[in-house]
Amino acid sequence: MSEIEEVKARLDIADVVGQHVQLQKAGRTLKGLCPFHPEKTPSFIVSPDRQTWHCFGACATGGDVISFVMKHDGLDFGDALRLLAERTGVKLKERRVSEEQDRARKRLHDANEAAAEYFTRQLTTDAGRAAQSYIERRGIDEATSRAFRLGYSLAGWNDTIDHLRGRGFTDHEIVSAGLAIQGENGLHDRFRNRLMFPVWDAKGRMIGFGARALDDSMPKYLNTAQTALFDKGGTLYALNKAGDAIKREGRAVIVEGYMDVIAAHQFGFENVVAQMGTALTERQVRLVQRLAPQIVLALDADAAGTNAAVRGHDVVRQAGGEEAEAPAVSWRGLLGHQETTSVDLRVVVLPEGKDPDDFVRSNPDAWRTLIEDARPVLEFRLEVAAAAHDLTDPRGRSQLVQEYLPLLSAVGDPVIRAHYLQRLSRIAQVSEEELTSMVTRPSGRLEPQVRRPIQSVTRGTANVDQKEAFLVALLLRYPGLREQGMGVTAGLLWEAEARRVLELWQESESLEVLKTNVPVELTDYFERLILWKIPQYSEAVAADALADCVKRLNRRRLEAEQQAMTAQIAGLQEELGGATITSAFAEGSIADVSPELQETLQHGEDIGNELHKRERKDGREAVQSAVDG
C-alpha cells in the first residue's frame, strides 16, 4: 500500500468533512449544505461507501478526502497530504531537496536580487534618463516606481555580467538565473537598454524580470527565459503585492501588461495582477482561485484583445528569440476549469482604444463599475461569437453554433447549460432539442476489443476506481492522445492523486517537462503509472480506449448524482408527505411546491433523462458493433 493509500485508509471522509459541514443521513449517503458556495437546499453529498464527496449544485465537482482538504483549506496536494498524514500518524518518506540544491536555488534568488538593485541604481543615472522619462510620461509617481522597484539595464553587452561577477557570482550562476546568454561570440547580457520590471513569486522572492525596449529593438517586451526559478506560465506579475487585497475583496482582476498593474495599484486597485505572456494559462488561474471566489479577465476592446488573454492553441514562439510559451488554456478549458472549482470566472472588455492603464487613470470610478459589472465567461463568448458571424445567413448561424456549442459541452451544471442553450436557440434559430442532441451526440463508436480496457490494471485498495488511473496512464503512454486528453475535465476524476497528475499533464507540453513538474509527494504514484503494463494499442484503439474511460467516468458521475438526488427526494417526501410531491410531479404542476423542491425534482428528472440517453446510445453502439462483426 502506498503512502497516499495508507493515509486515505486511516481516515473516514465523513469524519473529516463533518468537522466543517453538518451532515444528515440520506439513504446510503450523507447530505449537507455545501461549504464552498451559499445555498439553502443541501446539494453536498458524502458517500461513506466510496469515500468521496460531491457538490451537485453550483460547484459541480467532488473528489476524495485529500481533494476536500485541498479545496477547503486552499492547499496544494503535497501540503494537504502532509496535513492528513500528520493527523493519521502516517510517516511520509523524507524527500527533501538536498542542501546543495537548496543553496543553488538561493544563489539564483540572490543573483536576481543583486541585478534588481543594480538596475534600480542605473535608473537615476544619466544613462537612465530615457527610462525615467518614459516612466514620467506614463504617469507613474516616484513612490509607485520605488514600490515596484523599476530599473534600467544599460545598453552595453556586458555591464550586468561585470557587475554580478564583481558581487561574486559565477558565469554559470548568472546564466542559470536568466540574466545572461551564451552566444556565438561569448557571454552577453540578456537585457540591454530596457526599462526593467522585477518579478517576484507569490512568496515575494525575486525570480526574474520583464523588460521593455526603449528603442526599436525586438521584441518590444522580453521576459527572463525559463529557469529553475522563473516559469512565466506559472507566474502572475505582482501577485505577491496583490494577494492580501484579492483575499480581502474576494476578487482577482487579471490584465495583460505590467504598466496596467502598476497604474491600477497606484490608484488604489490593489487586487490587480498580470499574466506573464501573451496567453493566460490554467496554472495562472489556479494561482488566484485559492485566494478569491471570483476572477475577472480585463481585455482590450480590439479583436486581438479578446483572444490574447485566452487562446485555443498551445505553444507559440515569438520573434526575437523568445522562449516557447506555456500551453495556453482554451476557452473550453477555462469553462471546464470553472466547472470543477468554485471560482466564478468573468470578463470585461474595455472601451475602444483604451487599455486598463488609460482607463484607470482617466476614470477610476468607471473602472470600479466596469469590474463590478463583469459578465460571465459564457455570456461574453456568446456575444463575441454572435458578433463575428452574419446571422441573417443560415451558414453564418451554423458557424456560430459550431463555434459556441463545444463550449457548452464543458458545462456540467444542467441549469446553466439549459440557459445558454435557450439563448443560442433564439439567436441561431435552431430548436433547443436539436442543440441538446448536438452537445451529447457521440463522435464515434468503440471497437469491441477495447470495450473493457481496465481489467488488466490493479491497485492496492478496494475503493480505488481503476478507470481513473488507467485514463492517466494512457495519456502518459500515448503522446498522440494529446488533443483528446486536453478535453478531459479533471473533475471527472475523484482521486486527488490521479486528478493532480492529469492537471500537470495538461499543463506540461511533453512527458519530459511533466517529469520535472511532478511534486515529490506524487513521485511514486507517477512512476507506477509510467510502468504499468498497458497493451500495445494502435493510435486509433488507444483513442477509443480513452473515450471509453471518459464515457464510463461520466456515467459514474451521473449514477452517483442520481443516487444522491433519489435520497434527497426521499427525504423531502418524508418531510412534506409523499402524496403531495408525487401528485405534483405526475400532474406536471411542480410550480405549486416550493422553489427549492421544484429545483430538486427537476434536477432529478434531468439526471434520469441523461442516463436514459446514454443507455440508448450504448445500446445502439453495441448493436452496430455486432453488425460489423
Side-chain angles (χ1 to χ4, degrees):
M1 182 182 294
S2 71
E3 294 173 344
I4 298 172
E5 292 165 348
E6 186 176 357
V7 168
K8 291 182 183 181
R10 294 193 185 187
L11 292 167
D12 185 341
I13 193 169
D15 291 339
V16 176
V17 174
Q19 296 175 13
H20 309 283
V21 181
Q22 186 174 350
L23 298 172
Q24 297 177 339
K25 189 74 173 176
R28 295 171 61 184
T29 63
L30 303 169
K31 68 177 180 179
L33 297 176
C34 181
F36 306 125
H37 76 276
E39 63 178 6
K40 296 180 180 179
T41 303
S43 65
F44 186 88
I45 303 297
V46 172
S47 172
D49 293 343
R50 293 191 180 96
Q51 286 293 296
T52 59
W53 63 272
H54 289 275
C55 171
F56 296 115
C59 297
T61 188
D64 59 12
V65 66
I66 298 178
S67 62
F68 177 82
V69 173
M70 290 172 64
K71 189 173 180 67
H72 187 273
D73 294 353
L75 303 175
D76 61 20
F77 181 90
D79 288 339
L81 178 64
R82 282 187 287 274
L83 177 68
L84 293 174
E86 184 177 348
R87 184 181 303 178
T88 57
V90 175
K91 187 172 178 60
L92 301 178
K93 295 177 185 176
E94 289 291 334
R95 299 188 181 92
R96 298 182 182 276
V97 176
S98 69
E99 291 185 10
E100 183 179 349
Q101 291 174 311
D102 193 47
R103 283 196 299 269
R105 290 179 68 88
K106 187 178 185 306
R107 289 288 291 174
L108 299 187
H109 284 299
D110 291 345
N112 277 291
E113 181 64 39
E117 293 175 359
Y118 177 66
F119 296 145
T120 300
R121 287 202 303 272
Q122 298 309 312
L123 185 64
T124 60
T125 65
D126 289 343
R129 283 180 180 174
Q132 187 64 51
S133 297
Y134 178 84
I135 291 172
E136 293 170 356
R137 289 198 306 273
R138 295 298 297 264
I140 302 299
D141 61 34
E142 186 176 348
T144 304
S145 178
R146 286 200 305 269
F148 282 86
R149 299 182 63 180
L150 302 186
Y152 170 69
S153 57
L154 295 172
W157 285 81
N158 300 97
D159 294 296
T160 303
I161 293 171
D162 290 342
H163 172 76
L164 292 175
R165 284 170 174 166
R167 291 289 302 273
F169 294 98
T170 66
D171 287 357
H172 176 73
E173 289 172 334
I174 297 170
V175 172
S176 297
L179 295 163
I181 297 173
Q182 185 69 54
E184 294 180 1
N185 298 319
L187 203 62
H188 63 82
D189 291 347
R190 178 174 177 83
F191 304 109
R192 303 185 306 280
N193 192 26
R194 289 178 179 268
L195 175 64
M196 302 300 295
F197 301 86
V199 177
W200 300 263
D201 63 15
K203 295 181 179 179
R205 297 172 298 189
M206 189 75 69
I207 59 173
F209 296 88
R212 188 194 189 281
L214 294 171
D215 51 24
D216 295 331
S217 298
M218 294 299 290
K220 184 177 180 180
Y221 279 95
L222 182 66
N223 290 315
T224 294
Q226 183 88 9
T227 70
L229 302 181
F230 188 86
D231 174 12
K232 68 180 177 181
T235 303
L236 285 168
Y237 178 63
L239 183 59
N240 62 308
K241 296 180 177 296
D244 289 342
I246 290 172
K247 291 178 184 177
R248 183 173 62 249
E249 299 182 31
R251 175 191 294 136
V253 180
I254 301 180
V255 296
E256 295 181 44
Y258 304 112
M259 297 302 291
D260 296 330
V261 170
I262 293 172
H265 281 243
Q266 180 173 315
F267 280 81
F269 302 103
E270 296 179 347
N271 63 332
V272 180
V273 295
Q275 59 207 51
M276 292 298 302
T278 56
L280 186 69
T281 71
E282 193 166 339
R283 278 181 293 162
Q284 291 169 333
V285 174
R286 287 200 185 101
L287 285 174
V288 289
Q289 77 175 50
R290 296 173 183 169
L291 303 178
Q294 186 180 100
I295 299 174
V296 176
L297 308 179
L299 310 182
D300 294 342
D302 58 26
T306 61
N307 293 314
V310 184
R311 290 203 306 233
H313 60 276
D314 287 339
V315 182
V316 297
R317 289 191 179 275
Q318 295 184 356
E322 263 285 46
E323 298 297 317
E325 289 197 356
V329 61
S330 66
W331 287 107
R332 186 170 183 269
L334 195 62
L335 286 162
H337 181 75
Q338 176 176 252
E339 285 294 307
T340 58
T341 66
S342 59
V343 70
D344 174 17
L345 289 163
R346 293 177 175 261
V347 177
V348 296
V349 178
L350 277 69
E352 191 74 37
K354 293 280 188 179
D355 58 26
D357 181 8
D358 302 324
F359 199 79
V360 167
R361 293 180 185 284
S362 62
N363 198 334
D365 290 337
W367 169 264
R368 184 177 291 105
T369 301
L370 189 72
I371 298 301
E372 291 287 346
D373 295 339
R375 289 166 289 173
V377 172
L378 271 172
E379 182 178 327
F380 166 73
R381 287 305 301 166
L382 180 58
E383 292 176 5
V384 169
H389 300 289
D390 180 4
L391 301 183
T392 64
D393 186 339
R395 286 172 296 183
R397 296 196 297 274
S398 176
Q399 291 167 351
L400 165 64
V401 169
Q402 295 299 323
E403 179 180 331
Y404 187 72
L405 210 55
L407 300 181
L408 293 183
S409 67
V411 177
D413 190 316
V415 177
I416 295 176
R417 182 189 290 191
H419 171 76
Y420 286 102
L421 280 172
Q422 188 179 65
R423 289 194 59 187
L424 181 61
S425 172
R426 290 197 298 267
I427 295 172
Q429 301 177 32
V430 180
S431 71
E432 291 180 49
E433 291 76 12
E434 178 60 24
L435 292 175
T436 300
S437 70
M438 293 172 68
V439 170
T440 59
R441 187 171 295 159
S443 58
R445 62 180 182 81
L446 303 181
E447 296 297 331
Q449 64 266 37
V450 295
R451 283 289 175 181
R452 298 185 178 275
I454 333 296
Q455 294 176 352
S456 62
V457 181
T458 58
R459 294 289 304 274
T461 59
N463 287 327
V464 169
D465 193 322
Q466 297 174 355
K467 291 182 286 295
E468 298 192 10
F470 183 80
L471 182 150
V472 182
L474 271 174
L475 295 176
L476 298 177
R477 179 65 56 85
Y478 293 97
L481 298 179
R482 185 78 192 173
E483 182 177 354
Q484 187 179 352
M486 291 299 290
V488 176
T489 304
L492 276 179
L493 309 186
W494 296 350
E495 285 187 291
E497 60 268 39
R499 180 184 296 185
R500 187 65 189 124
V501 174
L502 172 63
E503 291 170 341
L504 290 169
W505 178 87
Q506 291 175 331
E507 295 165 6
S508 305
E509 59 193 59
S510 68
L511 183 60
E512 292 307 311
V513 173
L514 172 60
K515 289 177 180 178
T516 65
N517 290 337
V518 172
V520 291
E521 298 81 12
L522 284 170
T523 301
D524 290 346
Y525 178 77
F526 179 73
E527 289 178 353
R528 287 167 59 193
L529 295 180
I530 292 288
L531 295 174
W532 269 355
K533 294 181 179 179
I534 298 177
Q536 293 298 316
Y537 296 140
S538 66
E539 283 196 16
V541 173
D544 283 345
L546 179 61
D548 189 44
C549 280
V550 172
K551 181 181 71 174
R552 292 172 186 272
L553 292 173
N554 266 312
R555 182 175 183 82
R556 180 188 67 173
R557 173 184 60 83
L558 288 169
E559 288 173 343
E561 190 167 357
Q562 185 182 51
Q563 179 186 358
M565 295 303 298
T566 300
Q568 195 167 352
I569 292 171
L572 290 168
Q573 283 180 321
E574 185 176 338
E575 293 174 17
L576 301 178
T580 303
I581 297 177
T582 304
S583 59
F585 199 62
E587 294 169 9
S589 57
I590 301 177
D592 294 339
V593 298
S594 69
E596 292 83 4
L597 177 56
Q598 178 182 348
E599 182 179 344
T600 299
L601 292 171
Q602 190 60 59
H603 195 179
E605 184 179 25
D606 291 341
I607 296 168
N609 290 338
E610 181 66 21
L611 275 169
H612 181 62
K613 286 180 184 176
R614 289 176 182 272
E615 287 171 356
R616 292 177 59 192
K617 182 170 64 177
D618 290 348
R620 288 195 299 269
E621 288 179 355
V623 170
Q624 185 63 51
S625 177
V627 170
D628 292 346

